[in-house]
Amino acid sequence: MKNDKMKKNKFIKSKLVVFIASLLVFMITFAAACSDIEYETTQDFTSPSGNRTITIKYDYVSRPFVFLDGEMIFETNKPGFMESVGWEVEWISDDEIRLYVASPQRDKYSNDNYYIKLTDN
């Protein structure tokens, strides 16, 4: 009887090891896939003087990523939005922009307003 119980415990342990290993493989695969999430939308904005162009890319939850000369210079640390949100740029100077949520969601997300210095690295 004790031998049967030991066999049963060994069987359960082996199944648990297989389950944990499978879960670990799934989590590693999922993490690798998520790290390569593509941007859903891309917009280019040129300064009024024509001297500067920035690119804003949005991910699948409408978080903005600002690029200058192909290098990311700004990303928000917020979790994103449950709906599609567009972004607008106001050029303060050739070296500074204001990034804000576009209409019609502007009133709903009025706190999402960023002043970004454009620097060459």
Side-chain angles (χ1 to χ4, degrees):
M1 186 147 175
K2 187 175 183 181
N3 198 16
D4 288 341
K5 190 173 185 178
M6 287 177 49
K7 285 182 182 180
K8 186 176 182 181
N9 286 343
K10 189 174 180 181
F11 177 76
I12 291 173
K13 286 180 184 179
S14 67
K15 292 295 183 186
L16 185 61
V17 168
V18 169
F19 173 76
I20 290 173
S22 298
L23 186 61
L24 185 61
V25 168
F26 172 76
M27 289 172 50
I28 291 171
T29 304
F30 183 76
C34 286
S35 67
D36 293 332
I37 292 176
E38 294 294 322
Y39 300 107
E40 299 243 332
T41 306
T42 300
Q43 288 182 294
D44 292 325
F45 295 90
T46 302
S47 66
S49 69
N51 294 334
R52 285 271 175 83
T53 299
I54 60 168
T55 301
I56 299 179
K57 298 180 180 185
Y58 314 90
D59 65 4
Y60 64 101
V61 288
S62 298
R63 287 179 295 212
F65 299 84
V66 180
F67 292 83
L68 176 65
D69 299 326
E71 184 176 329
M72 186 187 315
I73 60 168
F74 174 81
E75 65 179 308
T76 180
N77 60 355
K78 293 193 174 183
F81 301 90
M82 295 299 289
E83 59 186 319
S84 293
V85 172
W87 294 87
E88 290 291 331
V89 168
E90 175 187 347
W91 288 89
I92 296 170
S93 70
D94 270 1
D95 297 325
E96 187 176 9
I97 62 167
R98 180 173 75 105
L99 180 66
Y100 59 95
V101 174
S103 292
Q105 296 107 340
R106 186 176 304 146
D107 292 337
K108 187 175 181 181
Y109 301 114
S110 61
N111 290 335
D112 291 287
N113 193 21
Y114 305 99
Y115 289 88
I116 303 166
K117 295 273 187 191
L118 307 177
T119 56
D120 295 323
N121 293 334

